[in-house]
Amino acid sequence: MYESNLAFFTENANKPAVFLTVEEFSTMVSSIVESKLNQLLQPSHHAQSSHREEHFNFTQAVEFLKISKPTFIKLRREGKIKGMKVGEKRLLFSRLELETFLKNNHE
Protein backbone atom coordinates (compact mmCIF):
# COMPACT_ATOMS: atom_id res chain seq x y z
CA MET A 1 0.00 0.00 0.00
CA TYR A 2 1.14 3.51 -0.79
CA GLU A 3 1.60 5.35 2.53
CA SER A 4 2.72 8.79 1.44
CA ASN A 5 1.53 11.78 3.44
CA LEU A 6 -0.27 14.68 1.80
CA ALA A 7 0.39 18.07 3.36
CA PHE A 8 -2.02 20.98 3.14
CA PHE A 9 -0.36 24.28 3.90
CA THR A 10 -1.64 27.43 5.55
CA GLU A 11 -1.88 30.64 3.53
CA ASN A 12 1.63 31.75 4.42
CA ALA A 13 2.95 28.25 3.51
CA ASN A 14 5.46 28.20 6.40
CA LYS A 15 4.06 25.14 8.14
CA PRO A 16 1.75 22.40 6.96
CA ALA A 17 -1.71 22.82 8.46
CA VAL A 18 -2.73 19.16 8.06
CA PHE A 19 -1.06 15.86 7.24
CA LEU A 20 -3.15 13.08 5.73
CA THR A 21 -2.24 9.72 4.35
CA VAL A 22 -3.49 8.98 0.85
CA GLU A 23 -5.97 6.54 2.39
CA GLU A 24 -7.28 9.20 4.83
CA PHE A 25 -7.58 11.72 2.01
CA SER A 26 -9.39 9.20 -0.20
CA THR A 27 -11.80 8.34 2.62
CA MET A 28 -12.49 12.02 3.28
CA VAL A 29 -13.17 12.78 -0.41
CA SER A 30 -15.40 9.70 -0.75
CA SER A 31 -17.39 10.78 2.28
CA ILE A 32 -17.88 14.29 0.92
CA VAL A 33 -18.89 13.03 -2.53
CA GLU A 34 -21.33 10.53 -1.03
CA SER A 35 -22.87 13.22 1.16
CA LYS A 36 -23.33 15.60 -1.79
CA LEU A 37 -24.83 12.85 -3.95
CA ASN A 38 -27.33 11.99 -1.20
CA GLN A 39 -28.33 15.66 -1.00
CA LEU A 40 -28.93 15.74 -4.75
CA LEU A 41 -30.84 12.46 -4.82
CA GLN A 42 -33.10 13.32 -1.87
CA PRO A 43 -35.13 16.37 -2.85
CA SER A 44 -35.45 19.02 -0.19
CA HIS A 45 -38.81 19.88 1.35
CA HIS A 46 -38.96 23.03 -0.81
CA ALA A 47 -38.28 21.11 -4.01
CA GLN A 48 -40.95 18.56 -3.15
CA SER A 49 -43.56 21.20 -2.45
CA SER A 50 -42.82 23.07 -5.68
CA HIS A 51 -43.31 19.87 -7.70
CA ARG A 52 -46.66 19.33 -6.03
CA GLU A 53 -47.85 22.90 -6.39
CA GLU A 54 -51.29 23.04 -7.88
CA HIS A 55 -52.12 25.29 -10.82
CA PHE A 56 -55.48 26.36 -12.18
CA ASN A 57 -56.65 27.38 -15.60
CA PHE A 58 -58.71 30.57 -16.01
CA THR A 59 -62.08 28.98 -15.19
CA GLN A 60 -60.74 27.05 -12.21
CA ALA A 61 -59.03 30.18 -10.83
CA VAL A 62 -62.28 32.16 -11.11
CA GLU A 63 -64.16 29.38 -9.29
CA PHE A 64 -61.44 29.10 -6.64
CA LEU A 65 -61.59 32.84 -5.89
CA LYS A 66 -65.40 32.83 -6.09
CA ILE A 67 -65.48 35.94 -8.24
CA SER A 68 -66.93 36.74 -11.66
CA LYS A 69 -64.92 36.37 -14.86
CA PRO A 70 -65.05 40.16 -15.54
CA THR A 71 -63.74 40.86 -12.01
CA PHE A 72 -60.95 38.32 -12.50
CA ILE A 73 -60.00 39.95 -15.83
CA LYS A 74 -59.99 43.39 -14.17
CA LEU A 75 -57.72 42.15 -11.35
CA ARG A 76 -55.36 40.64 -13.95
CA ARG A 77 -55.18 43.93 -15.87
CA GLU A 78 -54.41 45.76 -12.62
CA GLY A 79 -51.58 43.30 -11.96
CA LYS A 80 -53.13 42.01 -8.74
CA ILE A 81 -53.31 38.46 -10.07
CA LYS A 82 -50.41 37.07 -12.04
CA GLY A 83 -50.47 34.10 -14.36
CA MET A 84 -47.83 31.90 -15.87
CA LYS A 85 -47.89 31.63 -19.66
CA VAL A 86 -47.64 27.98 -20.71
CA GLY A 87 -48.68 28.27 -24.31
CA GLU A 88 -49.39 30.87 -26.92
CA LYS A 89 -52.80 31.64 -25.41
CA ARG A 90 -52.82 29.56 -22.23
CA LEU A 91 -52.21 30.84 -18.71
CA LEU A 92 -52.02 28.93 -15.45
CA PHE A 93 -52.49 30.43 -12.01
CA SER A 94 -50.65 29.19 -8.94
CA ARG A 95 -52.87 28.08 -6.09
CA LEU A 96 -50.34 29.53 -3.62
CA GLU A 97 -50.44 32.93 -5.33
CA LEU A 98 -54.25 32.89 -5.44
CA GLU A 99 -54.35 32.01 -1.73
CA THR A 100 -51.94 34.87 -1.01
CA PHE A 101 -54.17 37.21 -3.00
CA LEU A 102 -57.17 36.11 -0.93
CA LYS A 103 -55.32 36.64 2.35
CA ASN A 104 -54.05 40.09 1.33
CA ASN A 105 -57.41 41.27 0.01
CA HIS A 106 -59.75 39.81 2.59
CA GLU A 107 -61.96 42.54 4.02
Side-chain angles (χ1 to χ4, degrees), residues 22 27 29 31-32 36 38 43-44 48-49 64 69-70 73 76 84 86-87 96 102:
V22 171
T27 301
V29 169
S31 174
I32 292 168
K36 292 297 179 188
N38 285 336
S44 67
Q48 289 174 354
S49 65
F64 178 79
K69 289 180 180 182
I73 292 168
R76 289 253 321 120
M84 176 176 54
V86 292
L96 293 175
L102 284 175

Side-chain angles (χ1 to χ4, degrees), residues 37-52:
L37 281 173
N38 285 336
Q39 287 176 359
L40 291 172
L41 295 174
Q42 297 176 357
S44 67
H45 175 70
H46 176 69
Q48 289 174 354
S49 65
S50 67
H51 288 299
R52 292 187 201 153

Side-chain angles (χ1 to χ4, degrees), residues 14-100:
N14 292 334
K15 297 179 186 178
V18 178
F19 282 104
L20 296 174
T21 65
V22 171
E23 185 177 312
E24 290 169 330
F25 180 75
S26 177
T27 301
M28 181 180 71
V29 169
S30 295
S31 174
I32 292 168
V33 169
E34 184 178 343
S35 173
K36 292 297 179 188
L37 281 173
N38 285 336
Q39 287 176 359
L40 291 172
L41 295 174
Q42 297 176 357
S44 67
H45 175 70
H46 176 69
Q48 289 174 354
S49 65
S50 67
H51 288 299
R52 292 187 201 153
E53 185 177 349
E54 191 174 357
H55 290 87
F56 299 127
N57 64 26
F58 176 84
T59 303
Q60 293 167 328
V62 167
E63 290 171 1
F64 178 79
L65 294 175
K66 296 180 172 103
I67 58 177
S68 69
K69 289 180 180 182
T71 300
F72 188 86
I73 292 168
K74 178 181 173 244
L75 292 169
R76 289 253 321 120
R77 283 188 188 136
E78 293 172 352
K80 294 181 180 177
I81 297 176
K82 294 181 174 49
M84 176 176 54
K85 195 169 185 176
V86 292
E88 201 164 312
K89 295 183 178 182
R90 187 162 183 222
L91 289 172
L92 290 180
F93 303 92
S94 160
R95 178 187 189 107
L96 293 175
E97 286 189 28
L98 295 176
E99 288 173 346
T100 301

